[in-house]
Amino acid sequence: MKRKLRTLATTATATATTVLLIAGVQRSASAETGTEADATSASASAPAADTWIGTWAASPQSGSDTFGQQTIRQIVHTSISGTAARVHLSNAFGNKPVVIRDVHIARRTSGSSVSASTDRAVTFGGRTDVTIPVGGTVASDSTGFAVPAGADVAVSFHVPDSTGPATYHQSGLQTNYIAPGDVAGNADLTGVKTTGSYYFLSGLDVVNTAATGAVVTLGASITDGIASRTDANRRWPNDLATRLSAAGRVVGVLNQGISGNQLLADGAGQSALKRFDRDVLAQPGVRWVIFADDPINDLTNRNPTADQLITGLKQLISAAHGKGVKFICSTLTPFEGAGGWKAELEPKRAAVNSFIRGAGSGCDGIVDQDTATHDPAQPTKFRAAFDSGDHLHPNEAGLQAIADAVDPALFQ
């Protein structure tokens, strides 16, 4: 499920040191700051590592856009609130170290503007600048910032030098802003260019003593929210966050969908098998993962056997269980009529769904996206009311139906 339009412009451990597997490279990193600096450089008042819960995330991808002498202001829509914030920056796919300076977090008011009274400077080991190594990621110090739930927060920073190809998340479905010079601390920006992608920014964590953990939604374009409106925050993980809040569950919801992603093979982003450690198991406070629509892309791109898909799914389940993370399986939605659909693929989709629904799957729960979205009279097709028109991606009503199929009782 690859987006056709390209836009421009752990379970968290409580040990002092953890090992991050980033783009196949092992790096020793402070569990408190996420940087490769000595842990003693972190703020002495920073919360313990196991108190951080992710409230927003975006999966890193390799890109080609470059930056220099610019400010990037990016808008994230939170899932849960918090009394403190921590920012994650990624250079997972860069080819040179990237310097980031003058990082700020604030409440967004409208457009590229923020509330000056809420603006806070963000530091890294007490410094206002940080260098992200090639293939690496960094996490900021704790910032005293009241993070609201279900609201827009702006993260702004200055990129002083040429970055080389920027690590990004392509299908952000959010208007973000690029301005000349260092204006990260300004309430209003002028001369901005807009982009629908996220650059370098990969996560926002909070401290919330009522939170029971985070759930990662891992998938492809349906999870990424393709066919929902830009700036509307109507991806099904957003709808799930609203649903959990209404049910009294304080659970961070982290969207790690990549449009076009596959379970078994690299393509649009690294395969789910390859990125699982970074995008799921390394997420702060993760206790659950919902794995969704990746195998549809495997079927339409490479046409593996059902057994190969099931074997890959079992590998993810085993990896999650090995870290004490519960694995929630999603059935594959119908896609007859979409590009790449063939009648011969239906028995394979049915076999994967049968495995997921079976007693011996190893799944800790099921989200039956298939039943929630298919036409009862034609089970290989979407309900007309849920079809965005391409017969592959559900519209916002269909995305809501997927979120409604998630039982809040799974998150206990």
Side-chain angles (χ1 to χ4, degrees), residues 30-55:
S30 158
E32 179 56 51
T33 65
T35 69
E36 294 185 34
D38 189 290
T40 59
S41 67
S43 168
S45 63
D50 59 357
T51 67
W52 289 110
I53 306 289
T55 188

Side-chain angles (χ1 to χ4, degrees), residues 63-360:
S64 58
D65 296 329
T66 62
F67 296 89
Q69 287 296 322
Q70 292 166 297
T71 291
I72 308 175
R73 176 165 291 173
Q74 301 177 90
I75 312 302
V76 306
H77 193 73
T78 62
S79 56
I80 60 172
S81 64
T83 57
R86 183 173 70 169
V87 172
H88 290 262
L89 302 173
S90 176
N91 191 26
F93 300 102
N95 61 13
K96 61 189 293 188
V98 172
V99 177
I100 301 290
R101 290 179 180 164
D102 196 19
V103 182
H104 287 254
I105 186 169
R107 287 286 303 270
R108 194 267 285 266
T109 53
S110 64
S112 63
S113 297
V114 301
S115 167
S117 64
T118 67
D119 182 88
R120 301 290 184 272
V122 177
T123 59
F124 297 79
R127 297 173 58 91
T128 58
D129 63 278
V130 67
T131 299
I132 318 173
V134 174
T137 185
V138 295
S140 74
D141 301 332
S142 176
T143 303
F145 176 78
V147 179
D152 290 342
V153 170
V155 177
S156 310
F157 52 79
H158 177 51
V159 183
D161 306 316
S162 177
T163 62
T167 294
Y168 82 142
H169 182 81
Q170 181 181 359
S171 300
L173 296 177
Q174 172 65 55
T175 303
N176 293 316
Y177 306 92
I178 302 166
D182 182 2
V183 290
N186 289 17
D188 303 304
L189 302 182
T190 59
V192 297
K193 297 180 180 179
T194 60
T195 174
S197 301
Y198 288 101
Y199 293 90
F200 303 113
L201 182 64
S202 61
L204 179 66
D205 305 337
V206 297
V207 173
N208 185 325
T209 57
T212 54
V215 56
V216 175
T217 61
L218 182 69
S221 56
I222 293 176
T223 302
D224 215 5
I226 299 304
S228 66
R229 290 167 293 162
T230 296
D231 298 332
N233 298 302
R234 288 301 311 277
R235 311 162 191 85
W236 75 256
N238 296 124
D239 296 335
L240 174 61
T242 300
R243 176 170 165 79
L244 292 177
S245 178
R249 310 283 182 183
V250 186
V251 176
V253 180
L254 306 179
N255 188 339
Q256 298 285 35
I258 295 179
S259 184
N261 199 231
Q262 299 176 63
L263 167 60
L264 303 178
D266 294 350
Q270 294 173 315
S271 70
L273 286 171
K274 191 175 292 185
R275 68 189 183 98
F276 194 73
D277 279 357
R278 179 191 65 227
D279 290 353
V280 177
L281 300 181
Q283 296 305 306
V286 62
R287 290 187 57 199
W288 308 272
V289 55
I290 301 175
F291 180 63
D293 46 319
D294 272 17
I296 297 174
N297 288 324
D298 290 270
L299 289 172
T300 57
N301 283 287
R302 299 176 183 272
N303 196 6
T305 66
D307 284 345
Q308 288 173 320
L309 291 173
I310 291 168
T311 296
L313 183 54
K314 287 180 177 178
Q315 288 179 261
L316 294 185
I317 293 170
S318 177
H321 288 169
K323 295 296 184 180
V325 174
K326 291 186 176 181
F327 195 98
I328 301 168
C329 301
S330 294
T331 53
L332 303 180
T333 51
F335 62 103
E336 182 177 346
W341 181 87
K342 302 174 185 176
E344 67 188 64
L345 301 180
E346 280 302 324
K348 298 178 182 182
R349 184 175 75 93
V352 171
N353 286 350
S354 179
F355 166 77
I356 289 171
R357 293 178 177 126

Side-chain angles (χ1 to χ4, degrees), residues 17-20 26-30 34-37:
T17 303
T18 187
V19 174
L20 300 181
Q26 274 196 349
R27 300 188 180 277
S28 177
S30 158
T35 69
E36 294 185 34

